[in-house]
Amino acid sequence: MKFSMKLVLSTMIVLALALGFSGFYFVNYVFETSLEREVGQALDESSILSFAFETAALNVPLKYSVLPDSVVEEIASKLEMGGQSGGRLLRIADEEKNILYTSSGFTTDEGLLPQTDQHTKSYRVIRAQDSFYVHTCVSINALNRILYLETMKDVTGVFTERALGFSLYRKVTIVMLLTGMVVMLFIASFLTKPIRLLTQATRKMAAGDYAYRARQISRDELGQLTGDFNRMANALEETICKLEEEIEAREEFMGAFAHELKTPLTAIIGYADMLRSHKMDEEKSILSANYIYTEGKRLEAMSFRLLDIIVAKQEEANLQETSVGELFAYLREMFAEKKEQDIRFAYEEAVVWMEENLIKTVLVNLIDNACKASETGGGADGAGSDTAGVVEVSGKAADGGYRIAVKDYGIGIPEAEQNKIVKAFYMVDKSRARSKNGAGLGLALCAEILKIHHSELQIESKVGEGSCFSFLLSTHEKRDGESYI
Ligand code: ADP
């Protein structure tokens, strides 16, 4: 059964019980009050009748010292006739409780007589056929005799009113329950709307529509639940997107890897086949062997780089306080041999948190790339200008950390390529990169190393003007989840 139906049903049960009990109590209260009033009137009437009887007995001729039965009957008959339409119902009994006079229609038994004496009045409510009566009994002291007067007052009207009251209340209850049910259906439908929207959202998401969100239409507990559900859905969608991106990146990586393997392998196999199947002169043999050697070397370099990337991916950060001066001194020494390139170093002394060897690898890669990009003198200023072949390596405090940048005035990178070049095997100009022994793995390695330093590469570049690769390192120990980007 639907939750809204359960809500309607339970409300109906409560409403029915409340209406039933209150109706019963109300109708019964009215009935009891009316019956009490009727009983009071019946008792008053029987007192008046007994007084009237005693007064009539005083007028009996003096010859009787005791009221004879015949006079009793006579007075009783007169009293009976004195009632409203149809006369009164009464019965007279003597001191021995023998019946002396009975009105026709006075049908009840003599149950009250034994309970009544000279000093007490008694009454009861009785049912005779389809009618109800208040049956009273009082004593009369008339001319040296004690008599008992019984009366029957018809109170059927009070009972009929009660039956009518119940019947009316039943009808009112049914109408109210039906109206209440219709109203409750609307209310339940309104109250359970957030649940329906949530169900719809879960179904949509289960069917693969991860971007679908439940509409939040209230601020109560159900509204909060919807909010929490949407937050959970956001987190889920983010994780799924990340996973999808990761799968896509892995597939891309596999494709590019296979492709990069194929080129040197084809050359190696081709030249090796030539060597074993043809008798070639010495010069050609040396040339073939040389191709096999250089392509083999390329493969070896690629496999080392890949290994470095895999190691960097799995590496736990072991950051230590390192003097920037030492780092720059190492770089200066390393590139001192590169006379054809004007590499300029400028830095502010600082102590930075890093894993020195890894950051050295990043900088060597970036400087290498900058040198390669500057080699042709493709800068806007052209060869021979002040900045031709210049590579600037700088370090200074910035953005709450320490920024190291490698800037060149070389060929630059088209804007559309800038966010792709950190992907493994990506090369802007493949033949140019391969001619310089590149395999598109250097920046991918840099990105992985910077990831474990909670940093990332920032690339600013303009075609024909040059590029600037920079990254931020921390000058204080990093706390969990903290990032400097
Ligand atoms: P590679 O081994 O080919 O240098 P990288 O991952 O280091 O691989 O670089 C990827 C590509 O990004 C390079 O092939 C090159 O096209 C481009 N690139 C990297 N650095 C620069 C730079 N400073 N100027 C212009 N292009 C660059």
Side-chain angles (χ1 to χ4, degrees), residues 373-386:
S374 314
E375 264 170 22
T376 48
D381 301 325
S385 77
D386 285 354

Side-chain angles (χ1 to χ4, degrees), residues 71-116:
V71 177
V72 169
E73 276 175 40
E74 200 180 316
I75 296 172
S77 160
K78 277 187 189 152
L79 288 178
E80 183 190 340
M81 301 313 288
Q84 288 152 350
S85 57
R88 292 190 178 103
L89 288 175
L90 50 86
R91 186 160 66 185
I92 309 280
D94 63 11
E95 38 281 80
E96 304 303 324
K97 303 199 172 158
N98 297 317
I99 305 298
L100 298 178
Y101 180 86
T102 308
S103 306
S104 69
F106 198 105
T107 47
T108 188
D109 60 14
E110 290 150 25
L112 268 190
L113 274 173
Q115 302 169 21
T116 316

Side-chain angles (χ1 to χ4, degrees), residues 305 365-366 369-370 372-373 408 411-413 421 423 426-429 433 437-444 467 469:
R305 271 284 159 83
N365 266 295
L366 293 181
N369 282 349
K372 283 184 210 164
D408 66 65
I411 52 172
I413 308 157
I421 55 171
K423 286 184 185 168
Y426 195 87
M427 293 161 266
V428 178
D429 181 344
N437 252 339
L441 289 172
L443 291 181
S467 317
F469 287 72

Side-chain angles (χ1 to χ4, degrees), residues 190-356:
F190 172 73
L191 288 179
T192 54
K193 195 169 179 193
I195 301 179
R196 283 201 302 282
L197 292 174
L198 263 180
T199 315
Q200 194 181 357
T202 46
R203 283 190 188 148
K204 288 251 184 194
M205 285 188 72
D209 186 356
Y210 301 117
Y212 193 86
R213 295 289 175 272
R215 197 152 49 88
Q216 190 170 353
I217 53 167
S218 64
R219 288 184 188 186
D220 56 11
E221 289 88 335
L222 286 178
Q224 282 170 12
L225 180 67
T226 310
D228 289 343
F229 175 85
N230 285 344
R231 272 187 285 284
M232 184 195 74
N234 286 344
L236 215 64
E237 194 190 5
E238 216 171 278
T239 313
I240 289 169
C241 278
K242 248 187 223 165
L243 283 175
E244 280 174 353
E245 270 168 24
E246 239 166 67
I247 291 169
E248 202 179 313
R250 224 165 263 185
E251 277 171 4
E252 248 175 53
F253 177 88
M254 294 302 289
F257 180 52
H259 185 78
E260 286 308 309
L261 269 186
K262 219 175 90 192
T263 320
L265 276 178
T266 312
I268 290 170
I269 293 167
Y271 284 113
D273 193 38
M274 261 167 63
L275 277 177
R276 68 172 192 157
S277 52
H278 302 287
K279 197 145 179 55
M280 291 188 286
D281 57 46
E282 201 185 336
E283 195 188 339
K284 276 190 178 167
S285 298
I286 290 173
L287 204 70
S288 300
N290 203 34
Y291 271 121
I292 293 174
Y293 176 79
T294 42
E295 289 305 300
K297 271 292 195 196
R298 234 159 64 72
L299 272 182
E300 186 192 38
M302 198 168 80
S303 67
F304 282 150
R305 271 284 159 83
L306 275 175
L307 216 62
D308 285 345
I309 292 176
I310 292 165
V311 171
K313 262 187 203 291
Q314 290 165 352
E315 192 117 338
E316 283 286 316
N318 180 22
L319 310 187
Q320 278 167 354
E321 284 182 316
T322 310
S323 153
V324 174
E326 280 172 30
L327 181 74
F328 273 78
Y330 166 85
L331 293 171
R332 202 190 291 272
E333 200 175 311
M334 175 151 192
F335 288 95
E337 298 294 302
K338 248 184 175 336
K339 297 276 186 243
E340 71 281 8
Q341 209 82 40
D342 181 4
I343 305 176
R344 300 173 186 172
F345 295 92
Y347 63 92
E348 287 171 11
E349 184 53 79
V351 173
V352 177
W353 283 87
M354 66 169 99
E355 194 163 337
E356 198 180 346

